[in-house]
Amino acid sequence: MSQGVNFLRVIEVCTLGILTGFLYYDVGNNSSYTGLSQRVGLYFFSTTLWTFTRMYPAVGFSHNWFSLSLVELKRRPSSLGPIVLGRLIVVLGLESLWPMVYVLVCYPFAGVFGSIKIVILVGLFLLLNNLCYISLGSVLGVYSKRIPQGMIASTIFSQTSLVAAGFYTTLPPALDWIRYISPFYWTFRGILKSCLKWNDTLECIKGSSEVGANQCFLEYHPAIDQYKERGLHVATYNDSSSDSISLEFVALILLLFILNFLIYAKAWVTCKRFERQPDPEDVQERRHALPVLNTNQ
């Protein structure tokens, strides 16, 4: 059964990669302004795909997992650590491979396989994004009393984090902080930084003397200015932050840790509640041990 499920998962991921690759076929070799928009669209679609694909199933799975784990936690509170850690290891083991498989299948068709380093970086960002949203779905599944409530909360949280990424519009100043707790924002920013460099060139009507009569530096594309206004500093000359992706990796790992800590905290609070509650069997034994008063005298 497990081998069958894994085989079907391979078919699913490879099929998605092939379809996406054909939809964005050879966009990496299109050096026009339209080609840049299509490449960014590919990066955005890939990030979106590995946001929702496994998050919603995680809500129901984690809700049922926590309900079953309550029985063991009530009987043996000391098993809290192994139960939570075991779940985390299983999730990491089962879900870490697929984003990389998707990238290795999709991106050669799209013509953005020029550097294996960039492909690996994109795969790692999608991997962390996938794990963060699986963890988000798991948190909402564990904390929700019913699965439909967790599904509704997942939609609200995921769509909010999507808008906060800066792809669609600029957030009002009062809501600007939301982007920093959005895994999608850090993932999309990291992918753009990995794939777009300021010295990349595009075809244009009046080019720069440094790169050619009909070539312009990527930095001068209007979309780059829009991204800067939305907190996505990419492809900027003499700006070291537009090339560094360390902050994006650290932010995603930190969000992943916080989300899984929330799952542990819920299980820990539940264990403490069980410890404060008297054992029904113990109460029954104490009742039998009480002396029986004879009221007939």
Side-chain angles (χ1 to χ4, degrees), residues 26-246:
D26 207 33
V27 297
N29 296 318
N30 187 346
S31 60
S32 66
Y33 275 30
T34 302
L36 175 62
S37 300
Q38 292 175 339
R39 269 187 288 159
V40 174
L42 170 63
Y43 305 145
F44 185 82
F45 176 81
S46 300
T47 310
T48 305
L49 179 66
W50 292 102
T51 294
F52 302 106
T53 304
R54 306 301 294 169
M55 182 187 66
Y56 286 110
V59 175
F61 171 80
S62 296
H63 182 85
N64 294 332
W65 166 82
F66 190 69
S67 299
L68 294 173
S69 298
L70 289 179
V71 179
E72 182 65 20
L73 291 175
K74 190 172 184 179
R75 188 170 63 89
R76 290 193 307 170
S78 61
S79 62
L80 169 63
I83 288 177
V84 177
L85 182 60
R87 173 202 162 275
L88 178 60
I89 293 175
V90 169
V91 171
L92 291 176
L94 293 178
E95 298 295 339
S96 295
L97 175 66
W98 306 117
M100 192 65 71
V101 172
Y102 168 83
V103 170
L104 292 174
V105 172
C106 169
Y107 279 47
F109 287 104
V112 291
F113 204 82
S115 171
I116 187 64
K117 177 183 176 181
I118 293 177
V119 172
I120 292 176
L121 288 175
V122 172
L124 289 175
F125 275 117
L126 293 180
L127 183 155
L128 288 172
N129 186 71
N130 184 42
L131 293 178
C132 282
Y133 279 97
I134 289 175
S135 299
L136 175 61
S138 300
V139 169
L140 297 174
V142 167
Y143 279 81
S144 299
K145 293 183 179 180
R146 295 187 300 166
I147 293 178
Q149 295 175 349
M151 292 292 186
I152 294 172
S154 295
T155 300
I156 295 173
F157 277 96
S158 61
Q159 294 295 339
T160 301
S161 68
L162 204 68
V163 174
F167 183 83
Y168 294 112
T169 185
T170 303
L171 293 177
L175 299 177
D176 193 56
W177 58 271
I178 296 179
R179 71 178 61 175
Y180 299 112
I181 59 173
S182 167
F184 193 100
Y185 167 74
W186 295 109
T187 301
F188 187 57
R189 195 171 92 162
I191 291 176
L192 289 182
K193 283 186 175 184
S194 301
C195 298
L196 305 180
K197 305 299 181 182
W198 72 268
N199 55 354
D200 291 342
T201 59
L202 297 172
E203 295 178 358
C204 59
I205 298 176
K206 185 178 181 180
S208 170
S209 59
E210 298 178 4
V211 292
N214 299 109
Q215 295 289 318
C216 296
F217 284 117
L218 176 62
E219 182 182 12
Y220 300 119
H221 193 286
I224 301 301
D225 292 330
Q226 290 182 351
Y227 289 144
K228 291 177 184 177
E229 293 176 359
R230 299 170 186 176
L232 300 169
H233 295 278
V234 298
T236 304
Y237 174 71
N238 204 24
D239 182 2
S240 58
S241 64
S242 68
D243 293 326
S244 175
I245 56 176
S246 302

Side-chain angles (χ1 to χ4, degrees), residues 66 70 266-278:
F66 190 69
L70 289 179
K266 173 66 174 179
W268 183 82
V269 170
T270 304
C271 284
K272 293 300 180 182
R273 189 180 299 121
F274 287 155
E275 290 178 0
R276 290 194 297 267
Q277 293 176 353

